Amino acid sequence: DRWFAPLTAAAVLIPLALTVVAVILWGWIWLPIGILLTLLAVLIVLNLRSNKAMMNAAEGQPGAAAQIMESMRGDWRVTPAVSSTTQMDMVHLVIGRPGVILLAEGNPQRVRGLLGQEKRRLAKVIGSAPLHDYVIGQGEGELPIRKLRMTLMRMPRTLSPKDVNALDKRLKALTARPQMPKGAIPKNMRPARGAFRQSRGR
């Protein structure tokens, strides 16, 4: 990051210069305040540049939108890849105060079909909760991944925390996949001997 060193130097030198002026004019009481402001400025620069570097690395990577959502502050319930294809197209499910959010990554033509399927499936259980969907990308009508955090943080909070919990439980029940029990099948659950032959004979 070629801008990191110049911005860090500015974050150190400018507050220190102002601190020296303040100490000369109003006394030594401004020295600890100036040092704290300098540290704060350096942390802000570090946070901004590291976020930019992370977004540059995430752009175009499958599953990046879900990773960014999982790292966001706040009550965001993220289920990565609730729907996907073998070509690495995927739709992520996010539940939060703004409602239900679907984030699609991959080929725009294919993911819009996945989005339509998920919206029809979710509409049966979410009730009156808002449903939003975004296609992550650089094309027209798509949301650049570097704007994902800001876009979601600016969305109106229409659900209460209690509503979010209730919605999360309903959607987890919808997206839960039954698992086969491990080990041998109990004798009382095994089909009767010859049942397969009889069913095939029919």
Side-chain angles (χ1 to χ4, degrees):
D1 184 359
R2 61 191 181 92
W3 287 104
F4 178 72
L7 289 174
T8 304
V12 172
L13 295 177
I14 294 175
L16 285 181
L18 295 175
T19 300
V20 171
V21 174
V23 167
I24 293 174
L25 294 177
W26 297 293
W28 290 97
I29 192 172
W30 286 94
L31 182 60
I33 298 176
I35 293 174
L36 291 176
L37 289 176
T38 302
L39 292 175
L40 179 61
V42 172
L43 288 176
I44 290 174
V45 170
L46 179 61
N47 182 53
L48 292 176
R49 302 314 296 177
S50 62
N51 281 338
K52 184 175 178 60
M54 183 181 70
M55 292 301 172
N56 289 337
E59 202 160 357
Q61 296 294 324
Q67 294 177 358
I68 290 173
M69 289 303 307
E70 289 174 337
S71 67
M72 280 181 59
R73 294 180 180 178
D75 188 11
W76 301 98
R77 321 286 176 90
V78 184
T79 306
V82 291
S83 182
S84 60
T85 68
T86 55
Q87 291 87 8
M88 299 302 290
D89 308 307
M90 58 191 72
V91 175
H92 313 297
L93 173 64
V94 180
I95 307 168
R97 297 286 303 278
V100 180
I101 305 163
L102 294 172
L103 302 175
E105 294 183 281
N107 182 278
Q109 307 264 334
R110 294 193 295 262
V111 296
R112 292 192 189 280
L114 292 178
L115 276 176
Q117 294 175 10
E118 285 302 311
K119 288 167 74 173
R120 288 191 295 271
R121 191 168 70 104
L122 295 177
K124 302 174 183 178
V125 295
I126 64 173
S128 60
L131 177 60
H132 312 272
D133 62 276
Y134 297 97
V135 176
I136 305 299
Q138 297 292 334
E140 185 178 354
E142 298 173 358
L143 178 64
I145 196 167
R146 60 184 66 249
K147 294 184 179 180
L148 176 60
R149 282 183 174 178
M150 190 62 65
T151 299
L152 268 60
M153 292 300 293
R154 289 178 176 176
M155 295 174 70
R157 272 38 177 174
T158 56
L159 299 181
S160 66
K162 184 178 179 181
D163 294 333
V164 173
N165 288 331
L167 192 58
D168 188 28
K169 289 180 181 178
R170 292 205 301 271
L171 293 183
K172 278 182 178 176
L174 177 68
T175 57
R177 299 175 181 175
Q179 296 182 350
M180 292 294 293
K182 297 181 180 180
I185 302 175
K187 291 183 178 180
N188 60 350
M189 294 180 64
R190 293 176 183 174
R193 185 174 297 177
F196 290 116
R197 288 197 296 270
Q198 292 177 7
S199 63
R200 289 177 63 181
R202 294 176 187 174

